[in-house]
Structure formats: C-alpha cells, structure tokens
Amino acid sequence: MSKHQYAMVMDLNKCLGCQTCTIACKKLWTDRDGTGYMYWNNVETRPGLGYPRQWDRIGGGWRDGALQPSPLPTMDDYGHAWEYNYEQRLYEGKKQPVMPSPDPKSGVNWDEDVGGMNEDENYFFYLPRICNHCTYPACLEACPRKAIYKRDEDGIVVIDQDRCQGYRYCIKACPYKKIYFNEVTGKSEKCIFCYPRLEKGEVNACAAQCPGRLRFVGLLDDPESPVHKLVLVHKIALPLFPEKGTQPNVFYVPPFNPPKRENYGKSIQEDPRVPLDYLIYLFGPEVKDVIMRLETELKKTQEGGRSEALQLLIGRDAETRFHVRPPLVQIQV
Amino acid sequence: MRIRLLVIIVLVSLQLSAGSWAQTGVKLAAGQSLSVAASSAGIDTLLSGGPAAWNQIAAKHVALNRTPPLYDTDEPATLEIPSVDVRVARTGGKLLVQLTWRDATHDAVTLAEVPNTPPETRFRKVQTEADDRFFDAAAIMFPEKAGTGAIAPSLQMGDAEHPVAIYYWNATRGPMLMQAQGRSTTRRTGKTFPASGSYQNGQWSVIFQLPDLPAGTTVAFAVWNGGQKDRDGRKYFSVWQVLE
Ligand code: SF4
Ligand code: SF4
C-alpha cells in the first residue's frame, strides 16, 4: 500500500459515450509506433463485449491470495486495424464503393449502443475504463522482472520501460486487461494516470476534456478531495468487479437514472431501467445500497431540500471535480 | 507470485551430477568439458554458417533441462527439445559458438521497419500486428569475471558475487547483450554482438560471436521455443560446461 493514493470517480449517469476522453488520451500518450490498438482509456457500451472483447470473463486477478490464470487476448479480441481503398475508388476508376480491408470483425466499442433488453425495453450505458491503479495490483505481482511498481507518493502504478522485457505475464494477470503489448518496442504499456500532468498541478487529460463532467480526481486519503467524499463519506461510488481482489482506485457511481419509461414517480429499485442483476454483476451486491442512497438524495432535492452529494455529482466547475495537490514530491535539481 | 523455489532447487540439484550445490557456486564434474577447436576459417566464414568450416568441428551433445513451472498460472509445457549440439571455434581472437537444435515450429517473423523519423511527424505509424506471439531464442551465459576456476556462479543467472554476461539471440529481434547477477536481475545492456541464425528442415542453427574466453571458463546454454510461449525462465537450460 502506498503512502497516498490518487483515485478517480466516474458518474456513469452522465457519460455521453462521446470518446473525447479516449481521444485526449490517445493524442497525448498513444500516438506512437506500435500503440494504434492501445486505449489506455476506452469507453465501452454495457452490457456488451468490452475491449478487448470478453475481458471481464477470461480471468486474472486474485483468489485466496493466489493469482488466477488467464489467456492473453489476441488481436482478434482487440480487432485488427483496417484501411479503406480510397485510391482505387478515387484515382483508379474502381466502381465499387470504398471498402475497408481486412474485413472488420471487432474493434474498440465495436458493439456501440447495442446494449441489452430489459423485458421489452432496450437499455445500455457507457463504461469508461482506465487502469484502476489498484491497491493490490495483480500486474505488479505477476512481473518476474519487477518492472512494475506502485509509486509510494501517490499510488500510481507504472511500468518501467527499461526493466520490461515484454513477457506479458502482467497482461494475463490484470483482471481488467488494462495493459497492452507494444510489439514494435517489445514492451508492455499502460495508463500512467497522467502523473507528469499531476506533478505540474494539472488534472488527467481524460478528466480535463470530459464534456460530461463526470470525472472526479483527487487523493483518496485527502478529506478535502471530491473522491474522498464520494467514496468514503457519501459512499455512492464503487469499484468495478471488486471480487477480482485487486482493490481498484477507480470508482463508479452506478447508472440508476433515468427510470424506466412510464416509471416516473416509482422507486427506481422497484423496476430499474438497468436490471439490478447486471449492476450487481459489475459492482457487487453493495450496488443496491448505493442506489438506495442515491435515490434518497434525489428525493431530498425533489422535495426542495439540498443534497451535498448530488451537488458534488453535478460537478459544476473544475475546482469541485478536481483536487490535484501540488507536487507531492519536490524533485531537487 | 509464489515461486516454487523448493521444486526448482530439487530439480536443479538432480540435474547436476556433482553432489555439492550452493547458491554461489558448484564444483563441476568431469563430462562437462567442452573442447575448443582452433579454426583456420575466418570469423565471417564461421559467422555466415559456412558448412565446410563448421563440419570439421566436433559437436558436443549437451543435454537440456526444462525449468519447472515457475508460476501458479503457467500453462503446461512439454520437454520437446531434449538437447542442443554445441561447436566452439577459436579464430581471429574470438570464440564462435554454433548451437543447433531441433524445433518443429519456426517461431520468427520479420517486424515492419520503423522509420527513422519521429512518429509525430508521420501520419502513419507502425502497428502492433500481434500481441500474443513469442519467438524462438537461444542464449549463452558465462561469468563476467572469466577464468574463476572450477567454481561457477549460480545457474540461475549468476549471483551477487558472480555477475554473468548473457549473449542472447532472438529469432525476430536479433542479438542483444544482457547482464545479470541473480534471478530476475537480467537487464539489457543496450549493446549487441555479431550473430546469425538460420532455420532449415526443422532445425535451428545459430552462431554467436563471443570474446575469446580462457580455458576453464564455465558456459551454459538456454533455448526457448516461442511456439510454447517460452520466455523468461520458461525455457530449456543446460548445466555449466567448462571450456577446455
Ligand atoms: S487495473 Fe490492471 S494494470 Fe491497472 S493496476 Fe490494476 S491490475 Fe495493474
Ligand atoms: S469524455 Fe466523458 S462523457 Fe465523453 S465518453 Fe469520456 S467519460 Fe464519457
């Protein structure tokens, strides 16, 4: 466990699925050779396949103190990059429409907005994902090179590119499949929680750019930070797949709103839009209590009262959403 | 990750014909000697695999052992490469070592060349074609302080008192010089060395150019089969051999 821990809370009720976060991250960190398929931040439609597809069902993480096996996802699971034959159509007089090749069969957010059915009503929501900078990172434990470390000053988990030999035990071990192999460099890469930005007092690029204003950033152990309040005081944000045992430091406000069509006025728990079973699958049984708390807060404001938790979730300005401490470690030059 | 250290120690001890084995050294037994042939062929001829020159040198059949599963989550692996043939030639102040072994799967690719210009200046980037392939490889390890007599460093990548040099060759990524002083300390030095490899009829033949090593130097060999997802300590290894 680190001395301090940066954390992020994402309110899934507010995500637009616009992928601005994905692009912010990509432009900043993964616009290099070998990184095309890497999405340190990705946003997937739920219920759905996820990226890489079926990552939540293939293994990794901890059980009874032991790492769990998992296959390496393949390029079929990430989706192969494709190109369009513009030249043939535009310059060589081919009559057929412009076609992608190879034939796309999977990709990032491949099943966008497909979702699932809840009785006769379709439902879906977006799940933005970054590395969880876990308290007990399975990736770190799996690396025989000791190339992965958790920064004591802020809990950010990083891969030392000098030590990494590209063995990929970490990718197998991470139950969230948030490490990607760069075949060009022969090394593995992952989200760095924008630590170079944080060290300058700037919030993570994905959080800064998010038009939905649903990302909250701060130290979990800083009572002034929004993440501390949402997770530990109001208790309305939960980690994804807590049973994987890594203790993530990315938390989600579960999607509970709006209610199902024609259900306005009824308790959300009576007949929720997103089936409770699915939310329990993602966030564990505690999600029921969280939704109950959220509903109570909502009622309070609907009856003219004031809810500190909901005010915080609105996140009007950057000062509310982000509490980035000035450098925790002063580098002596 | 819980390393089955006990299993490793037991297995490694069993592989050693000598009775005494300690973390920092091992008394070597007879039968582990490796002769060095003076060759009149030039370095380039030998490095290019010239059969006429290499055929004159007697091969030593060195038995390979399979490391036991190191991690709880390892896939099982079979012992399908039981030995490596080693030929050692001295010429032009260098040692040239040829390793040949049978491997039914040829696990090597040609990676796309990365242009010399920085990626941000290019619209197209080189892409990762596959994330789940591992390549055939081989390595020769010897103590950095050569000629330390019959006491060899730990077979597990040397030890603190006996750092080792590792001449590693990868079928896709080529040769790289590594250094280690104990298990999990292996690092790339950024240096390389002349080497060549060819795969024909189910057999690898890889030639390493090493500095000249004095008689009595201990050397050990390792082979990885990419098709079995071998990498890291998941490999075949020989016990120490002594240069004559
Ligand atoms: S999410 Fe995966 S990669 Fe990130 S710290 Fe946890 S185990 Fe490691
Ligand atoms: S930028 Fe914000 S709203 Fe858009 S997809 Fe990302 S998390 Fe959702």
Side-chain angles (χ1 to χ4, degrees):
Chain A
M1 221 189 258
S2 50
K3 250 193 223 110
H4 299 285
Q5 178 69 57
Y6 262 116
M8 193 182 281
V9 172
M10 306 194 207
D11 181 354
L12 298 184
N13 297 283
K14 294 168 81 181
C15 181
L16 318 163
C18 65
Q19 307 282 0
T20 309
C21 49
T22 308
I23 300 304
C25 178
K26 197 139 207 40
K27 287 299 285 179
L28 189 56
W29 302 119
T30 57
D31 195 15
R32 292 168 286 115
D33 292 312
T35 61
Y37 83 108
M38 282 183 205
Y39 290 91
W40 291 1
N41 178 106
N42 79 293
V43 183
E44 54 199 45
T45 299
R46 285 281 158 181
L49 293 170
Y51 186 80
R53 65 183 180 199
Q54 306 287 18
W55 64 265
D56 50 330
R57 295 176 192 273
I58 61 176
W62 300 95
R63 194 183 300 145
D64 303 327
L67 290 177
Q68 295 304 298
S70 157
L72 270 179
T74 66
M75 270 307 166
D76 290 346
D77 300 318
Y78 292 104
H80 298 264
W82 64 80
E83 292 287 353
Y84 293 93
N85 58 342
Y86 292 114
E87 284 87 354
Q88 292 183 348
R89 179 72 182 89
L90 298 176
Y91 306 119
E92 292 163 23
K94 283 257 157 53
K95 291 282 181 280
Q96 294 89 351
V98 172
M99 293 300 283
S101 126
D103 193 16
K105 292 209 168 68
S106 189
V108 63
N109 208 13
W110 178 249
D111 51 354
E112 179 165 10
D113 296 4
V114 173
M117 291 302 282
N118 185 1
E119 287 161 18
D120 56 344
E121 199 169 307
N122 172 257
Y123 74 97
F124 64 80
F125 58 93
Y126 302 108
L127 181 71
R129 300 204 303 122
I130 61 171
C131 160
N132 293 299
H133 299 278
C134 305
T135 301
Y136 305 110
C139 58
L140 183 152
E141 182 69 13
C143 177
R145 303 269 318 139
K146 301 185 174 68
I148 303 185
Y149 62 99
K150 188 165 175 68
R151 291 162 38 121
D152 200 37
E153 64 270 32
D154 53 21
I156 295 173
V157 177
V158 286
I159 304 178
D160 181 339
Q161 293 289 296
D162 286 338
R163 292 205 56 78
C164 177
Q165 295 276 18
Y167 294 153
R168 286 159 267 179
Y169 294 111
C170 57
I171 305 180
K172 287 158 58 111
C174 170
Y176 303 94
K177 294 295 170 273
K178 268 295 166 189
I179 302 188
Y180 303 84
F181 180 64
N182 183 334
E183 200 180 47
V184 176
T185 61
K187 286 150 193 273
S188 300
E189 299 185 15
K190 65 182 281 301
C191 160
I192 56 174
F193 209 72
C194 282
Y195 77 82
R197 287 171 63 98
L198 294 176
E199 285 174 358
K200 290 186 174 151
E202 290 286 337
V203 76
N204 315 51
C206 56
Q209 297 297 321
C210 176
R213 299 185 309 202
L214 58 97
R215 296 189 183 221
F216 299 81
V217 178
L219 290 171
L220 201 54
D221 49 311
D222 169 7
E224 294 304 309
S225 86
V227 295
H228 176 93
K229 291 178 191 160
L230 292 168
V231 176
L232 299 169
V233 179
H234 302 304
K235 297 190 169 59
I236 48 176
L238 292 170
L240 189 58
F241 295 115
E243 74 279 10
K244 309 256 186 200
T246 62
Q247 228 181 87
N249 287 298
V250 171
F251 301 85
Y252 297 94
V253 180
F256 72 107
N257 221 4
K260 222 173 162 184
R261 204 160 28 112
E262 292 163 12
N263 268 3
Y264 285 92
K266 273 199 213 166
S267 161
I268 288 159
Q269 291 160 81
E270 226 172 275
D271 184 18
R273 185 176 57 94
V274 178
L276 211 52
D277 280 352
Y278 191 64
L279 294 180
I280 292 171
Y281 167 66
L282 292 178
F283 304 109
E286 228 194 303
V287 78
K288 286 193 276 188
D289 305 327
V290 167
I291 290 178
M292 207 159 14
R293 271 179 224 126
L294 285 163
E295 210 180 359
T296 312
E297 294 298 313
L298 201 60
K299 281 256 157 60
K300 225 197 277 177
T301 55
Q302 282 165 349
E303 285 158 11
R306 190 186 150 84
S307 157
E308 217 182 286
L310 293 193
Q311 282 301 317
L312 186 53
L313 282 182
I314 292 170
R316 285 199 171 75
D317 47 37
E319 286 69 47
T320 316
R321 298 196 305 277
F322 314 134
H323 209 259
V324 176
R325 284 251 305 269
L328 293 165
V329 176
Q330 290 293 341
I331 296 160
Q332 307 288 332
V333 218
Chain B
M1 195 170 279
R2 261 178 300 165
I3 300 148
R4 298 168 185 167
L5 197 60
L6 195 67
V7 182
I8 298 170
I9 291 172
V10 169
L11 286 188
V12 170
S13 314
L14 285 176
Q15 301 296 350
L16 297 167
S17 39
S20 71
W21 188 84
Q23 181 64 23
T24 51
V26 54
K27 291 252 186 300
L28 295 156
Q32 285 175 242
S33 66
L34 191 59
S35 53
V36 180
S39 174
S40 54
I43 292 176
D44 291 345
T45 311
L46 288 169
L47 205 51
S48 65
W54 282 110
N55 285 347
Q56 290 174 8
I57 299 168
K60 180 169 180 198
H61 204 63
V62 176
L64 291 175
N65 314 286
R66 179 80 200 173
T67 48
L70 295 173
Y71 314 114
D72 293 342
T73 56
D74 258 11
E75 300 96 341
T78 55
L79 181 69
E80 50 177 23
I81 303 176
S83 64
V84 60
D85 281 351
V86 184
R87 290 181 172 87
V88 188
R90 180 176 281 125
T91 188
K94 302 283 177 201
L95 279 194
L96 283 114
V97 182
Q98 184 197 51
L99 303 184
T100 49
W101 72 94
R102 300 205 67 79
D103 178 350
T105 52
H106 176 232
D107 304 299
V109 298
T110 309
L111 294 176
E113 215 169 293
V114 180
N116 256 335
T117 50
E120 60 272 19
T121 62
R122 286 181 269 122
F123 176 65
R124 285 215 176 150
K125 313 284 155 42
V126 180
Q127 295 305 338
T128 290
E129 271 176 46
D131 68 310
D132 63 335
R133 52 189 180 190
F134 297 90
F135 307 115
D136 294 336
I140 305 177
M141 165 170 90
F142 54 87
E144 281 201 325
K145 286 175 255 161
T148 45
I151 295 294
S154 161
L155 201 49
Q156 290 185 44
M157 324 315 287
D159 49 71
E161 287 86 57
H162 306 86
V164 290
I166 299 154
Y167 283 67
Y168 172 87
W169 171 90
N170 182 293
T172 292
R173 298 186 189 277
M176 41 191 127
L177 182 55
M178 313 230 236
Q179 198 267 347
Q181 37 200 320
R183 195 171 179 275
S184 86
T185 66
T186 314
R187 60 175 190 89
R188 297 182 194 180
T189 60
K191 293 189 195 123
T192 180
F193 61 94
S196 72
S198 70
Y199 183 85
Q200 262 175 346
N201 308 320
Q203 177 166 295
W204 271 113
S205 169
V206 180
I207 296 148
F208 297 72
Q209 181 184 312
L210 309 184
D212 199 358
L213 298 169
T217 306
T218 50
V219 292
F221 308 99
V223 168
W224 288 262
N225 179 7
Q228 273 207 120
K229 299 197 190 309
D230 283 357
R231 76 273 201 196
D232 168 43
R234 191 183 156 88
K235 67 186 175 199
Y236 301 92
F237 66 97
S238 80
V239 295
W240 290 111
Q241 309 288 309
V242 188
L243 291 181
E244 275 179 0

PDB file of all heavy atoms in Angstrom, chain A residues 10 14-22 41 43 126 128 206 209-215, ligand 2:
ATOM      1  N   MET A  10     -16.069   8.105 -11.544  1.00  0.00           N
ATOM      2  CA  MET A  10     -16.789   8.430 -12.777  1.00  0.00           C
ATOM      3  C   MET A  10     -18.274   8.178 -12.526  1.00  0.00           C
ATOM      4  O   MET A  10     -18.656   7.092 -12.089  1.00  0.00           O
ATOM      5  CB  MET A  10     -16.302   7.556 -13.926  1.00  0.00           C
ATOM      6  CG  MET A  10     -14.796   7.599 -14.146  1.00  0.00           C
ATOM      7  SD  MET A  10     -14.370   6.883 -15.723  1.00  0.00           S
ATOM      8  CE  MET A  10     -12.704   6.313 -15.391  1.00  0.00           C
ATOM      9  N   LYS A  14     -23.842  10.150 -16.240  1.00  0.00           N
ATOM     10  CA  LYS A  14     -23.590  11.340 -17.033  1.00  0.00           C
ATOM     11  C   LYS A  14     -22.786  11.087 -18.302  1.00  0.00           C
ATOM     12  O   LYS A  14     -22.602  12.007 -19.089  1.00  0.00           O
ATOM     13  CB  LYS A  14     -22.826  12.361 -16.167  1.00  0.00           C
ATOM     14  CG  LYS A  14     -23.661  12.885 -15.004  1.00  0.00           C
ATOM     15  CD  LYS A  14     -22.802  13.660 -14.020  1.00  0.00           C
ATOM     16  CE  LYS A  14     -22.561  15.080 -14.489  1.00  0.00           C
ATOM     17  NZ  LYS A  14     -21.699  15.820 -13.543  1.00  0.00           N
ATOM     18  N   CYS A  15     -22.296   9.858 -18.494  1.00  0.00           N
ATOM     19  CA  CYS A  15     -21.409   9.639 -19.642  1.00  0.00           C
ATOM     20  C   CYS A  15     -22.190   9.638 -20.948  1.00  0.00           C
ATOM     21  O   CYS A  15     -23.203   8.961 -21.091  1.00  0.00           O
ATOM     22  CB  CYS A  15     -20.644   8.333 -19.489  1.00  0.00           C
ATOM     23  SG  CYS A  15     -19.531   8.036 -20.865  1.00  0.00           S
ATOM     24  N   LEU A  16     -21.678  10.415 -21.923  1.00  0.00           N
ATOM     25  CA  LEU A  16     -22.330  10.568 -23.225  1.00  0.00           C
ATOM     26  C   LEU A  16     -21.807   9.576 -24.237  1.00  0.00           C
ATOM     27  O   LEU A  16     -22.322   9.489 -25.346  1.00  0.00           O
ATOM     28  CB  LEU A  16     -22.038  11.973 -23.790  1.00  0.00           C
ATOM     29  CG  LEU A  16     -22.087  13.164 -22.859  1.00  0.00           C
ATOM     30  CD1 LEU A  16     -21.367  14.334 -23.501  1.00  0.00           C
ATOM     31  CD2 LEU A  16     -23.515  13.514 -22.563  1.00  0.00           C
ATOM     32  N   GLY A  17     -20.734   8.883 -23.902  1.00  0.00           N
ATOM     33  CA  GLY A  17     -20.116   7.982 -24.876  1.00  0.00           C
ATOM     34  C   GLY A  17     -19.473   8.727 -26.025  1.00  0.00           C
ATOM     35  O   GLY A  17     -19.349   8.204 -27.129  1.00  0.00           O
ATOM     36  N   CYS A  18     -19.035   9.946 -25.779  1.00  0.00           N
ATOM     37  CA  CYS A  18     -18.507  10.783 -26.865  1.00  0.00           C
ATOM     38  C   CYS A  18     -17.068  10.440 -27.214  1.00  0.00           C
ATOM     39  O   CYS A  18     -16.576  10.851 -28.256  1.00  0.00           O
ATOM     40  CB  CYS A  18     -18.603  12.246 -26.471  1.00  0.00           C
ATOM     41  SG  CYS A  18     -17.552  12.675 -25.063  1.00  0.00           S
ATOM     42  N   GLN A  19     -16.385   9.720 -26.362  1.00  0.00           N
ATOM     43  CA  GLN A  19     -14.995   9.294 -26.590  1.00  0.00           C
ATOM     44  C   GLN A  19     -14.003  10.449 -26.600  1.00  0.00           C
ATOM     45  O   GLN A  19     -12.867  10.280 -27.057  1.00  0.00           O
ATOM     46  CB  GLN A  19     -14.854   8.479 -27.899  1.00  0.00           C
ATOM     47  CG  GLN A  19     -15.804   7.306 -28.022  1.00  0.00           C
ATOM     48  CD  GLN A  19     -15.408   6.080 -27.218  1.00  0.00           C
ATOM     49  OE1 GLN A  19     -14.388   6.067 -26.522  1.00  0.00           O
ATOM     50  NE2 GLN A  19     -16.229   5.039 -27.267  1.00  0.00           N
ATOM     51  N   THR A  20     -14.397  11.606 -26.107  1.00  0.00           N
ATOM     52  CA  THR A  20     -13.440  12.719 -26.032  1.00  0.00           C
ATOM     53  C   THR A  20     -12.261  12.338 -25.135  1.00  0.00           C
ATOM     54  O   THR A  20     -11.108  12.651 -25.428  1.00  0.00           O
ATOM     55  CB  THR A  20     -14.137  13.982 -25.485  1.00  0.00           C
ATOM     56  OG1 THR A  20     -15.321  14.206 -26.239  1.00  0.00           O
ATOM     57  CG2 THR A  20     -13.234  15.194 -25.577  1.00  0.00           C
ATOM     58  N   CYS A  21     -12.572  11.637 -24.057  1.00  0.00           N
ATOM     59  CA  CYS A  21     -11.526  11.174 -23.133  1.00  0.00           C
ATOM     60  C   CYS A  21     -10.555  10.250 -23.847  1.00  0.00           C
ATOM     61  O   CYS A  21      -9.332  10.349 -23.692  1.00  0.00           O
ATOM     62  CB  CYS A  21     -12.157  10.452 -21.958  1.00  0.00           C
ATOM     63  SG  CYS A  21     -13.385   9.209 -22.438  1.00  0.00           S
ATOM     64  N   THR A  22     -11.120   9.332 -24.649  1.00  0.00           N
ATOM     65  CA  THR A  22     -10.307   8.360 -25.377  1.00  0.00           C
ATOM     66  C   THR A  22      -9.329   9.083 -26.298  1.00  0.00           C
ATOM     67  O   THR A  22      -8.141   8.755 -26.346  1.00  0.00           O
ATOM     68  CB  THR A  22     -11.236   7.450 -26.220  1.00  0.00           C
ATOM     69  OG1 THR A  22     -12.248   6.936 -25.366  1.00  0.00           O
ATOM     70  CG2 THR A  22     -10.482   6.331 -26.870  1.00  0.00           C
ATOM     71  N   ASN A  41      -7.319   4.683 -22.143  1.00  0.00           N
ATOM     72  CA  ASN A  41      -8.692   4.992 -21.758  1.00  0.00           C
ATOM     73  C   ASN A  41      -9.588   4.478 -22.878  1.00  0.00           C
ATOM     74  O   ASN A  41      -9.369   4.804 -24.035  1.00  0.00           O
ATOM     75  CB  ASN A  41      -8.853   6.504 -21.617  1.00  0.00           C
ATOM     76  CG  ASN A  41     -10.283   6.920 -21.267  1.00  0.00           C
ATOM     77  OD1 ASN A  41     -10.562   7.294 -20.138  1.00  0.00           O
ATOM     78  ND2 ASN A  41     -11.205   6.872 -22.232  1.00  0.00           N
ATOM     79  N   VAL A  43     -13.906   3.594 -23.777  1.00  0.00           N
ATOM     80  CA  VAL A  43     -15.287   3.703 -23.306  1.00  0.00           C
ATOM     81  C   VAL A  43     -16.077   2.626 -24.025  1.00  0.00           C
ATOM     82  O   VAL A  43     -16.096   2.598 -25.255  1.00  0.00           O
ATOM     83  CB  VAL A  43     -15.880   5.098 -23.598  1.00  0.00           C
ATOM     84  CG1 VAL A  43     -17.292   5.202 -23.021  1.00  0.00           C
ATOM     85  CG2 VAL A  43     -14.997   6.185 -23.010  1.00  0.00           C
ATOM     86  N   TYR A 126     -22.708   3.686 -20.840  1.00  0.00           N
ATOM     87  CA  TYR A 126     -21.293   3.663 -21.210  1.00  0.00           C
ATOM     88  C   TYR A 126     -20.430   3.454 -19.982  1.00  0.00           C
ATOM     89  O   TYR A 126     -20.715   3.988 -18.911  1.00  0.00           O
ATOM     90  CB  TYR A 126     -20.888   4.961 -21.901  1.00  0.00           C
ATOM     91  CG  TYR A 126     -21.703   5.222 -23.136  1.00  0.00           C
ATOM     92  CD1 TYR A 126     -22.649   6.228 -23.153  1.00  0.00           C
ATOM     93  CD2 TYR A 126     -21.535   4.437 -24.274  1.00  0.00           C
ATOM     94  CE1 TYR A 126     -23.410   6.462 -24.288  1.00  0.00           C
ATOM     95  CE2 TYR A 126     -22.292   4.661 -25.410  1.00  0.00           C
ATOM     96  CZ  TYR A 126     -23.234   5.673 -25.412  1.00  0.00           C
ATOM     97  OH  TYR A 126     -23.986   5.889 -26.521  1.00  0.00           O
ATOM     98  N   PRO A 128     -16.630   4.039 -19.098  1.00  0.00           N
ATOM     99  CA  PRO A 128     -15.263   4.474 -19.419  1.00  0.00           C
ATOM    100  C   PRO A 128     -14.286   3.724 -18.510  1.00  0.00           C
ATOM    101  O   PRO A 128     -14.558   3.552 -17.325  1.00  0.00           O
ATOM    102  CB  PRO A 128     -15.259   5.967 -19.084  1.00  0.00           C
ATOM    103  CG  PRO A 128     -16.674   6.316 -18.696  1.00  0.00           C
ATOM    104  CD  PRO A 128     -17.362   5.059 -18.325  1.00  0.00           C
ATOM    105  N   CYS A 206      -7.946  12.908 -19.677  1.00  0.00           N
ATOM    106  CA  CYS A 206      -9.296  12.377 -19.900  1.00  0.00           C
ATOM    107  C   CYS A 206     -10.307  13.136 -19.055  1.00  0.00           C
ATOM    108  O   CYS A 206     -11.404  13.465 -19.513  1.00  0.00           O
ATOM    109  CB  CYS A 206      -9.347  10.880 -19.587  1.00  0.00           C
ATOM    110  SG  CYS A 206      -8.803  10.438 -17.919  1.00  0.00           S
ATOM    111  N   GLN A 209     -10.803  16.914 -20.260  1.00  0.00           N
ATOM    112  CA  GLN A 209     -11.529  17.105 -21.518  1.00  0.00           C
ATOM    113  C   GLN A 209     -12.987  16.675 -21.454  1.00  0.00           C
ATOM    114  O   GLN A 209     -13.774  17.029 -22.320  1.00  0.00           O
ATOM    115  CB  GLN A 209     -10.834  16.320 -22.640  1.00  0.00           C
ATOM    116  CG  GLN A 209      -9.415  16.790 -22.944  1.00  0.00           C
ATOM    117  CD  GLN A 209      -9.379  18.215 -23.453  1.00  0.00           C
ATOM    118  OE1 GLN A 209     -10.231  18.629 -24.221  1.00  0.00           O
ATOM    119  NE2 GLN A 209      -8.408  18.981 -23.003  1.00  0.00           N
ATOM    120  N   CYS A 210     -13.365  15.884 -20.484  1.00  0.00           N
ATOM    121  CA  CYS A 210     -14.694  15.258 -20.462  1.00  0.00           C
ATOM    122  C   CYS A 210     -15.828  16.293 -20.471  1.00  0.00           C
ATOM    123  O   CYS A 210     -16.026  17.018 -19.495  1.00  0.00           O
ATOM    124  CB  CYS A 210     -14.819  14.375 -19.223  1.00  0.00           C
ATOM    125  SG  CYS A 210     -16.455  13.635 -19.028  1.00  0.00           S
ATOM    126  N   PRO A 211     -16.602  16.387 -21.574  1.00  0.00           N
ATOM    127  CA  PRO A 211     -17.693  17.353 -21.609  1.00  0.00           C
ATOM    128  C   PRO A 211     -18.845  16.952 -20.693  1.00  0.00           C
ATOM    129  O   PRO A 211     -19.657  17.793 -20.303  1.00  0.00           O
ATOM    130  CB  PRO A 211     -18.131  17.357 -23.081  1.00  0.00           C
ATOM    131  CG  PRO A 211     -17.662  16.079 -23.639  1.00  0.00           C
ATOM    132  CD  PRO A 211     -16.495  15.623 -22.834  1.00  0.00           C
ATOM    133  N   GLY A 212     -18.923  15.684 -20.354  1.00  0.00           N
ATOM    134  CA  GLY A 212     -19.964  15.229 -19.437  1.00  0.00           C
ATOM    135  C   GLY A 212     -19.668  15.609 -17.993  1.00  0.00           C
ATOM    136  O   GLY A 212     -20.524  15.459 -17.124  1.00  0.00           O
ATOM    137  N   ARG A 213     -18.463  16.074 -17.746  1.00  0.00           N
ATOM    138  CA  ARG A 213     -18.023  16.484 -16.399  1.00  0.00           C
ATOM    139  C   ARG A 213     -18.323  15.414 -15.365  1.00  0.00           C
ATOM    140  O   ARG A 213     -18.835  15.686 -14.284  1.00  0.00           O
ATOM    141  CB  ARG A 213     -18.692  17.805 -15.996  1.00  0.00           C
ATOM    142  CG  ARG A 213     -18.335  18.927 -16.939  1.00  0.00           C
ATOM    143  CD  ARG A 213     -18.883  20.236 -16.472  1.00  0.00           C
ATOM    144  NE  ARG A 213     -20.310  20.148 -16.165  1.00  0.00           N
ATOM    145  CZ  ARG A 213     -21.143  21.186 -16.129  1.00  0.00           C
ATOM    146  NH1 ARG A 213     -20.679  22.391 -16.360  1.00  0.00           N
ATOM    147  NH2 ARG A 213     -22.399  21.020 -15.839  1.00  0.00           N
ATOM    148  N   LEU A 214     -18.005  14.177 -15.719  1.00  0.00           N
ATOM    149  CA  LEU A 214     -18.360  13.091 -14.821  1.00  0.00           C
ATOM    150  C   LEU A 214     -17.172  12.508 -14.095  1.00  0.00           C
ATOM    151  O   LEU A 214     -17.296  11.584 -13.324  1.00  0.00           O
ATOM    152  CB  LEU A 214     -19.086  11.986 -15.598  1.00  0.00           C
ATOM    153  CG  LEU A 214     -18.351  11.365 -16.770  1.00  0.00           C
ATOM    154  CD1 LEU A 214     -17.668  10.075 -16.369  1.00  0.00           C
ATOM    155  CD2 LEU A 214     -19.362  11.096 -17.870  1.00  0.00           C
ATOM    156  N   ARG A 215     -15.981  13.078 -14.363  1.00  0.00           N
ATOM    157  CA  ARG A 215     -14.804  12.505 -13.720  1.00  0.00           C
ATOM    158  C   ARG A 215     -14.333  13.389 -12.578  1.00  0.00           C
ATOM    159  O   ARG A 215     -14.218  14.602 -12.728  1.00  0.00           O
ATOM    160  CB  ARG A 215     -13.679  12.334 -14.748  1.00  0.00           C
ATOM    161  CG  ARG A 215     -14.045  11.347 -15.836  1.00  0.00           C
ATOM    162  CD  ARG A 215     -12.852  11.030 -16.696  1.00  0.00           C
ATOM    163  NE  ARG A 215     -13.252  10.118 -17.780  1.00  0.00           N
ATOM    164  CZ  ARG A 215     -12.507   9.095 -18.182  1.00  0.00           C
ATOM    165  NH1 ARG A 215     -11.342   8.848 -17.628  1.00  0.00           N
ATOM    166  NH2 ARG A 215     -12.926   8.336 -19.169  1.00  0.00           N
TER     167      ARG A 215
HETATM  168  S1  SF4 C   2     -15.258  12.272 -22.373  1.00  0.00           S
HETATM  169 FE1  SF4 C   2     -16.610  11.978 -20.592  1.00  0.00          FE
HETATM  170  S2  SF4 C   2     -18.677  11.875 -21.469  1.00  0.00           S
HETATM  171 FE2  SF4 C   2     -17.255  11.552 -23.182  1.00  0.00          FE
HETATM  172  S3  SF4 C   2     -17.036   9.298 -23.261  1.00  0.00           S
HETATM  173 FE3  SF4 C   2     -15.359  10.043 -21.974  1.00  0.00          FE
HETATM  174  S4  SF4 C   2     -16.140   9.865 -19.894  1.00  0.00           S
HETATM  175 FE4  SF4 C   2     -17.942   9.745 -21.263  1.00  0.00          FE
END
